[in-house]
Amino acid sequence: MIKAEHISKSYVSAGHAPVKALDDVSFSVSDGELFGLIGPDGSGKTTMFRILVTLILADKGVASVNGMDVVKDYEKIRNSVGYMPGRFSVYQDLTVNENINFFASLFGVDKEESMPLIEDIYGSLRPFGNRLAGALSGGMKQKLALCCALIHKPDVLFLDEPTTGVDPVSRKEFWQMLRNLRSNGITIMVSTPYMDEADMCDKIALMQKGMILALDTTENLISQMGNQVWGVSGNNMYKLLCDVRSYRGTLRCYPFGNSHHVFFNSQEPDISDFGNYLWGCGNENVKIERLEPCIEDCYLYITDGRRI
Amino acid sequence: MEQRVIEAEHIVKKFGNFAAVDDISFYVEKGEIFGFLGANGAGKTTAMRMFCGLSRPSSGKGMVAGLDIWSASEKIKSRIGYMSQKFSLYSDLTVGENIRLFGGIYGLDEERMKKSGDMLLKKLDMYGEKDVLVKSLPLGWKQKLAFSVSVIHDPEIVFLDEPTGGVDPVARRQFWELIYEAAGRGITVFVTTHYMDEAEYCDRVSIMVAGKIVALDTPANLKKSYGVNAMNDVFTIIARNAGRNE
């Protein structure tokens, strides 16, 4: 179990005002849960990870991992958690096998003992055992990093944006692996900018400016939105976007794949008036329909409206 | 006929025996938003570098902005904008300094630099950040600034290599509105992305697998011909088929 209570952290650098990275953040993650931290760059996700894996100290608040305090028991925590930091995680100038051997010896473990746990992931890397990590594709690099983070059979995994820049098919594979690990009883805390991945977490925390704006299962977050999302499409999508925004009943409108998603000021908007307005602006083939909201709608609804 | 600003005919790029780009042919019309999709390692960046005049094909013909990629690669560089995910702005220069630097590289004179620079800062609502180091900006801002800088000289085409990788949903949408606007001004946009909702915003997309273009059409036609409702499904079907043939 991971527990954070009233954690605050500011970064101070000479000649600048202190930057508040975390502002009174509290949450807990149950054993065996797949927990997602979702938020824009600079929202404090990485700082939260670094505090929990004992790399930096919080200014205020307490945190623990499986009952071990992040300050007092830092050595024990380091031996029982796996951590995949965002950018740097494997040595590019070592081969696949050298990286795995290196991390195994760091933790003083026999890699053969961990094989049953990582077999599923290592299997696809085996043919490339003698290839330099730097020469692997993005998806393969992340698989290798995950193997290295799992080599000492940790109880808790911390993954900071493990799939950023990885193509959609490799991302899907990576998440299938995470779900398999969870079914082995490993607790996983993961951050991601991809909303389809947020959907695969048991619970998510939406973060912005060092605070948690919402924390719940994706189902609950979505059902709290009700049915206030509408989809609009037409022939000239950019003109349509500008026109929807200029309509007096529009609260917000976003491009959203093949349609624009609209939130109105009123719960029961006058759709025929809206349609007439768009038609009057010269839009053709306008289609308006009520939509089932998805997690990305929640994110946009909860986090936007502020300058980010 | 619409004016073609990129034309590729049987372009091949080999590294040793490995064909990173394996006989691709296509064209892009003026003012189009053209999505250049493919899995990691499919050859997108290698192809893009040839169109930007940064490397030469092993064989094949190509024109960019009416210029031959074999004989006029230096001229091409002055007619295009280029933005990559990894390197796009100098993080240890301020916002204003980056604008001046790139404006200078793209050949703007003092007067035009001042005018375009001010307009850019105003549009991005970043006037207050003019003297801030780029490295202290959030990623979403950096990418919007990098894009605006890459079109500061009103190029005919702008090449964007995964401009929104790792950017959150709100900032990604703001970024695409800049793209729409540039396309509205007549700038052709050639963009790679891993986000399939962004593929839907393109006028046409191509999908590369192992150095070849295996699909090229409007998002609507691609979805129709694969019998699915979203570009994500098109991409998944194509990638899965590719896996079987390897």
Side-chain angles (χ1 to χ4, degrees), chain A residues 81-103:
Chain A
V81 307
Y83 172 47
M84 223 175 119
R87 298 286 137 82
F88 166 80
S89 48
V90 293
Y91 290 89
Q92 314 268 342
D93 49 356
L94 294 184
T95 66
V96 168
N97 287 337
E98 283 168 346
N99 267 293
I100 290 176
N101 292 339
F102 174 73
F103 282 96

Side-chain angles (χ1 to χ4, degrees), chain B residues 15-214:
Chain B
F15 297 103
N17 284 327
F18 174 70
V21 172
D22 192 3
D23 192 4
I24 62 172
S25 301
F26 68 99
Y27 63 86
V28 180
E29 288 172 357
K30 185 174 165 54
E32 243 189 325
I33 301 176
F34 190 86
F36 199 59
L37 312 182
N40 291 339
K44 302 187 301 284
T45 301
T46 304
M48 196 182 260
R49 288 174 57 83
M50 289 188 276
F51 300 129
C52 294
L54 294 173
S55 84
R56 289 192 170 185
S58 307
S59 63
K61 283 198 290 188
M63 303 279 273
V64 172
L67 299 164
D68 187 281
I69 60 172
W70 279 96
S71 59
S73 63
E74 281 310 308
K75 260 195 194 146
I76 286 175
K77 288 178 195 167
S78 65
R79 306 274 286 274
I80 63 166
Y82 176 66
M83 169 185 169
S84 75
Q85 188 195 354
K86 283 178 194 134
F87 172 77
S88 39
L89 296 169
Y90 288 88
S91 56
D92 49 357
L93 295 181
T94 66
V95 170
E97 286 167 344
N98 266 288
I99 294 173
R100 282 187 60 79
L101 174 66
F102 283 96
I105 289 172
Y106 286 130
L108 300 192
D109 60 34
E110 204 55 39
E111 189 190 348
R112 206 173 141 209
M113 183 123 65
K114 172 105 185 53
K115 215 174 114 197
S116 306
D118 281 354
M119 248 168 59
L120 188 161
L121 288 170
K122 206 170 134 201
K123 191 166 73 193
L124 297 179
D125 191 15
M126 280 178 69
Y127 227 102
E129 279 76 22
K130 197 177 169 193
D131 298 320
V132 168
L133 289 184
V134 160
K135 68 176 162 207
S136 62
L137 294 176
L139 181 64
W141 286 35
K142 256 185 231 171
Q143 296 305 77
K144 283 193 284 179
L145 179 63
F147 174 74
S148 304
V149 164
S150 73
V151 295
I152 197 168
H153 55 306
D154 282 320
E156 286 174 58
I157 310 159
V158 61
F159 290 90
L160 310 172
D161 196 358
E162 280 181 43
T164 54
V167 177
D168 76 280
V170 177
R172 281 204 294 125
R173 285 174 169 77
Q174 293 168 344
F175 190 91
W176 269 86
E177 287 180 33
L178 293 177
I179 293 182
Y180 271 138
E181 195 204 48
R185 289 207 313 257
I187 297 177
T188 305
V189 179
F190 188 92
V191 59
T192 74
T193 178
H194 285 151
Y195 292 96
M196 288 304 125
D197 60 326
E198 296 184 350
E200 311 264 5
Y201 305 154
C202 299
D203 295 314
R204 287 190 304 148
V205 300
S206 68
I207 299 179
M208 259 182 111
V209 174
K212 292 183 188 299
I213 290 180
V214 297

Side-chain angles (χ1 to χ4, degrees), chain A residues 120-295:
Chain A
D120 174 34
I121 308 157
Y122 182 63
S124 59
L125 285 169
R126 194 169 277 131
F128 309 103
N130 292 321
R131 188 179 287 189
L132 289 184
L136 295 173
S137 71
M140 295 289 252
K141 246 183 228 169
Q142 296 310 74
K143 279 183 204 168
L144 173 59
L146 185 58
C147 283
C148 294
L150 285 166
I151 200 73
H152 56 302
K153 297 197 274 184
D155 308 315
V156 184
L157 255 186
F158 292 96
L159 310 171
D160 193 0
E161 296 206 7
T163 55
T164 294
V166 174
D167 71 78
V169 176
S170 307
R171 288 203 292 119
K172 224 169 247 175
E173 276 177 30
F174 192 88
W175 272 80
Q176 192 50 53
M177 290 170 186
L178 294 190
R179 292 178 84 95
N180 294 345
L181 288 171
R182 184 190 52 173
S183 55
N184 281 331
I186 296 179
T187 307
I188 303 172
M189 182 168 136
V190 56
S191 65
T192 177
Y194 296 98
M195 291 300 123
D196 55 336
E197 296 181 351
D199 239 349
M200 297 176 77
C201 297
D202 299 319
K203 247 189 215 168
I204 60 170
L206 292 184
M207 287 190 76
Q208 190 174 45
K209 292 193 174 163
M211 287 183 276
I212 291 181
L213 302 182
L215 194 163
D216 213 326
T217 63
T218 51
E219 292 83 13
N220 286 344
L221 287 171
I222 289 168
S223 70
Q224 282 156 22
M225 298 263 305
N227 51 0
Q228 52 177 333
V229 182
W230 293 76
V232 186
S233 60
N235 280 5
N236 182 340
M237 293 297 280
Y238 185 53
K239 176 179 165 41
L240 185 66
L241 180 69
C242 300
D243 291 340
V244 171
R245 286 189 177 151
S246 69
Y247 177 66
R248 58 189 153 74
T250 301
L251 178 64
R252 285 176 211 156
C253 177
Y254 306 99
F256 212 104
N258 52 11
S259 70
H260 297 324
H261 287 193
V262 189
F263 298 92
F264 293 101
N265 290 317
S266 147
Q267 286 287 334
E268 286 307 322
D270 183 347
I271 291 304
S272 67
D273 180 62
F274 178 58
N276 282 335
Y277 176 81
L278 295 178
W279 183 76
C281 293
N283 291 287
E284 287 169 32
N285 280 329
V286 175
K287 246 175 62 188
I288 305 170
E289 57 183 338
R290 206 186 263 276
L291 299 174
E292 294 284 329
C294 64
I295 192 63

